[in-house]
C-alpha cells in the first residue's frame, strides 16, 4: 500500500497560466530537471493529453513509465495514475489541485502516492518523497512565474 504525501505552494500567476504549464507535457524537460523526456501518447478529443510517457533520471533512480490523466472541466484539478508497473514503481497516483486567490495568485496542492517495486526503508522513502515533491513544486513555480503575463 502506498502512503500519500501532500504539499502546497503559492504561485504568482492565475490558475489558467499554472494549468497551461502543467498540461504542456512535452516542455517538461525544459524546466523539470529529472525529466529527460515527456511524450504525449494519446489525446482526448479536446486536445488534452490522455496518456503521457516519461523518461526520468534523478541520479539515484532512473525509470520509464506512462501516466493516464483526467481533468476537471475548469482545470482546477489534474489527476493521474500509472498505466502499468515500471522498473521502479508498482503504482502511482497523484493530483494537482489549483485554487485561484482574489489577488491573482494560485495555490497549488500536489498530492502523490507511489508504491515502489524496490524495497526502501520508510524513513528514506518519506525523505525522498518530500524532496521530489518540494523540487517539483519549486520547479513548477519558477517556470510559471518566468513566463510573460498574457
Amino acid at each position: 500500500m502506498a502512503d500519500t504525501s501532500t504539499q502546497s505552494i503559492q504561485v504568482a500567476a492565475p490558475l489558467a497560466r499554472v494549468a497551461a504549464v502543467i498540461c504542456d507535457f512535452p516542455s517538461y524537460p525544459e524546466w523539470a530537471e529529472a525529466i529527460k523526456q515527456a511524450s504525449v501518447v494519446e489525446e482526448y478529443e479536446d486536445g488534452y493529453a490522455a496518456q503521457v510517457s516519461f523518461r526520468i533520471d534523478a541520479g539515484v533512480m532512473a525509470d520509464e513509465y506512462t501516466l493516464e490523466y483526467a481533468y476537471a472541466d475548469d482545470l482546477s484539478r489534474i489527476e493521474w495514475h500509472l498505466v502499468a508497473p515500471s522498473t521502479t514503481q508498482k503504482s502511482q497516483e497523484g493530483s494537482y489541485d489549483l485554487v485561484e486567490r482574489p489577488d491573482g495568485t494560485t495555490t497549488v496542492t500536489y498530492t502523490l502516492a507511489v508504491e515502489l517495486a524496490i524495497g526502501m526503508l520508510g524513513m528514506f522513502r518519506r525523505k525522498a518523497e518530500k524532496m521530489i515533491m518540494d523540487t517539483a513544486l519549486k520547479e513548477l513555480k519558477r517556470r510559471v512565474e518566468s513566463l510573460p503575463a498574457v
Side-chain angles (χ1 to χ4, degrees):
M1 184 76 180
D3 290 329
T4 301
S5 298
T6 301
Q7 283 190 29
S8 296
I9 198 166
Q10 287 290 123
V11 180
L15 184 149
R17 191 166 359 142
V18 177
V21 170
I22 292 170
C23 294
D24 184 9
F25 298 104
S27 294
Y28 277 32
E30 296 173 15
W31 58 270
E33 187 177 336
I35 298 176
K36 302 306 176 194
Q37 181 179 347
S39 305
V40 176
V41 177
E42 188 178 311
E43 290 183 344
Y44 292 110
E45 288 181 13
D46 61 9
Y48 285 101
Q51 290 191 1
V52 180
S53 68
F54 291 91
R55 184 170 53 82
I56 64 163
D57 187 347
V60 296
M61 185 179 92
D63 199 4
E64 292 185 29
Y65 55 90
T66 300
L67 300 177
E68 185 165 28
Y69 286 84
Y71 309 85
D73 289 340
D74 62 358
L75 296 178
S76 63
R77 182 175 177 85
I78 300 165
E79 59 187 26
W80 64 87
H81 68 270
L82 188 67
V83 172
S86 68
T87 306
T88 62
Q89 301 175 74
K90 288 182 183 177
S91 69
Q92 180 185 143
E93 292 186 11
S95 64
Y96 285 110
D97 288 291
L98 311 177
V99 177
E100 191 166 18
R101 301 290 176 200
D103 64 1
T105 65
T106 301
T107 301
V108 180
T109 301
Y110 181 25
T111 302
L112 184 65
V114 177
E115 185 176 1
L116 296 174
I118 53 176
M120 186 181 283
L121 289 174
M123 176 182 69
F124 293 116
R125 185 175 45 81
R126 284 186 295 281
K127 186 173 182 177
E129 284 174 356
K130 181 181 179 347
M131 187 180 76
I132 289 165
M133 294 181 78
D134 192 50
T135 300
L137 285 171
K138 285 179 179 173
E139 288 178 334
L140 173 64
K141 176 182 174 70
R142 188 172 325 133
R143 174 66 170 197
V144 172
E145 292 179 355
S146 72
L147 295 174
V150 180

